[in-house]
Amino acid sequence: MRPVKVERQAAFVLHSRPYRETSLVVEAITRDYGRMALVAKGVRRPRSAMRGVLMGFQPLEITWSGKGDVVTLHNAEWQGGQPLLQGRALLCGYYLNELLINLLPREDAHEQLFEHYSTTLQTLSASETHDAAFFSAALRRFEKRLLGELGYGLMLAHDTSGQPIAADIRYLYEMESGPRIIADSSASAGTISGQTLLDMDAESFDNPVTLIESKQLMRSLMAFYLNGRQLHSRRLFEELADL
Amino acid sequence: MSATLESLIEALRCLPGVGPKSAQRMAYHLLQHDREGAARLGFALDSAINRIQHCERCNTYTETSVCDRCQSDRRDTSVLCVVETPVDLNMVEQTQAYNGLYYVLMGRISPLDGFGPRNLRLEQLVARASDGLVKEVILATNFTNEGEATAHFVSELLKRQGLKVSRIARGVPVGGELEFVDSGTLAQALRERRRLES
Ligand SMILES: [Zn+2]
């Protein structure tokens, strides 16, 4: 049971939308209470103290009270220390938020996931000089841990028959079951090399082939768990690539 | 309830933040206490809808195909300032520190609301900025995540056209004593510090 009043809880705003004339409904991820919805009354007034604080990707401490699905936010304080996300890092941040909003059930506490989300944002925000590969690696790590936390952990060390993954064999990753050896070992569409699986297991994304193949695998896994829901942030990535 | 009254209440609900209750209150107020005001409102809405359009050059609201500001010969045609809304344009104008021209996006990219670049008239911006006179495009979108996402997309778009793009700076407000500045602003001001010329 969640207490009626919770003070100074570590949190990040995932999204907010206008509510009534001057308020917001804030979707947030908190360290101890998971994802929740809070009403922030009057924060869209020009002189509201919380107006500029309730910004996504910034570490906050929030205080709320109430029972039920939507509680009342009383206070939010910026914890500092993290530059604002810019450029590509910002788009990656939106992608993380969209995954959490779509896949993480409300009020399901995942302290480790919260920490990992926080670390990923730090990585992204400190990365102004890094290239696309750097961002991809950060996203793949997050996706892998997210699936693990949600109970959809990937099978990366053994194949479906229980044999250890071999680097030079190709596999077909079957949803909710794992990598299955395929007879034809050519790099056909939808298959993945044993090396990529092992690299993903070790969270090592230095190899360009690993980066490409893990992106394809994660994309089909995410599509599977998103169950038809489309991600706006992914579309934005594509629109940017099409310029 | 009369059908006319019902449709008035329904129509008022198109205003942001107006639910069925307040729409009903507004309708009764207009009919009961301010019929003259209601007539003025109706007339004003009608003429606004018929006359106000987007400026072909800067996209702001105007009654002519090209607004007065875009037609003025006292403006510096080499700089173009991109803002989110006409209100933001007015704020920049009030500074009297800028004599260039504008482009008003009439919105921002807000990825998680499904509001993307396709919802802004960016082809028109590209055409405007590529008129051969514009030497620099200044991005003055908000310092929110959405404003930042918009600035990123627009800058990538314009840079591919070979245009020089800059972003307005952020920092401690004029007359701002550090003691009273919010720590987010101060932190960003420290990161974006600049060297003093000797
Ligand atoms: Zn104009």
Side-chain angles (χ1 to χ4, degrees), chain B residues 1-14 18-28 31:
Chain B
M1 194 187 287
S2 103
T4 314
L5 182 54
E6 237 172 83
S7 72
L8 170 61
I9 293 171
E10 194 46 46
L12 286 165
R13 290 190 55 189
C14 76
V18 174
K21 279 251 170 62
S22 20
Q24 194 170 346
R25 229 179 299 123
M26 287 177 186
Y28 286 150
L31 293 171

Side-chain angles (χ1 to χ4, degrees), chain B residues 55 57-60 66-67 70:
Chain B
C55 171
R57 289 171 65 74
C58 72
N59 201 35
T60 199
V66 176
C67 76
C70 289

Side-chain angles (χ1 to χ4, degrees), chain A residues 60-119:
Chain A
L60 306 179
E61 270 186 12
I62 62 175
T63 296
W64 74 80
S65 70
K67 296 185 239 179
D69 291 345
V70 183
V71 299
T72 305
L73 180 70
H74 294 295
N75 190 35
E77 274 178 58
W78 189 66
Q79 296 307 295
Q82 189 162 296
L84 301 174
L85 295 184
Q86 290 176 326
R88 199 174 179 82
L90 177 59
L91 302 192
C92 291
Y94 277 120
Y95 175 70
L96 303 185
N97 286 8
E98 221 175 355
L99 286 182
L100 290 174
I101 290 168
N102 281 290
L103 295 175
L104 186 64
R106 281 222 180 119
E107 307 214 25
D108 203 4
H110 290 277
E111 202 185 317
Q112 298 239 322
L113 182 61
F114 181 86
E115 294 304 333
H116 188 57
Y117 174 74
S118 171
T119 318

Side-chain angles (χ1 to χ4, degrees), chain A residues 35-53:
Chain A
R35 181 165 78 86
M36 26 193 322
L38 309 101
V39 172
K41 287 183 184 142
V43 293
R44 279 159 64 219
R45 292 204 179 94
R47 303 213 173 273
S48 157
M50 274 197 279
R51 190 183 161 96
V53 179

Side-chain angles (χ1 to χ4, degrees), chain A residues 173 192 197 200 213-221:
Chain A
Y173 199 97
I192 191 164
L197 294 168
M200 286 176 76
E213 289 192 344
S214 61
K215 183 177 182 175
Q216 286 162 350
L217 174 59
M218 278 302 186
R219 187 174 264 228
S220 45
L221 282 163

Side-chain angles (χ1 to χ4, degrees), chain A residues 235-236 239-240, chain B residues 109 115-123 153:
Chain A
R235 179 157 179 195
L236 191 56
E239 283 166 318
L240 201 57
Chain B
I109 293 174
F115 202 89
R118 67 206 163 274
N119 301 102
L120 303 170
R121 297 183 190 184
L122 295 179
E123 326 71 54
F153 196 91

Side-chain angles (χ1 to χ4, degrees), chain A residues 156-159 163-171 181 192-198:
Chain A
L156 299 167
H158 293 88
D159 67 18
Q163 294 300 309
I165 296 292
D168 52 357
I169 296 182
R170 293 197 73 79
Y171 298 84
I181 295 182
I192 191 164
S193 75
Q195 186 59 53
T196 295
L197 294 168
L198 295 171

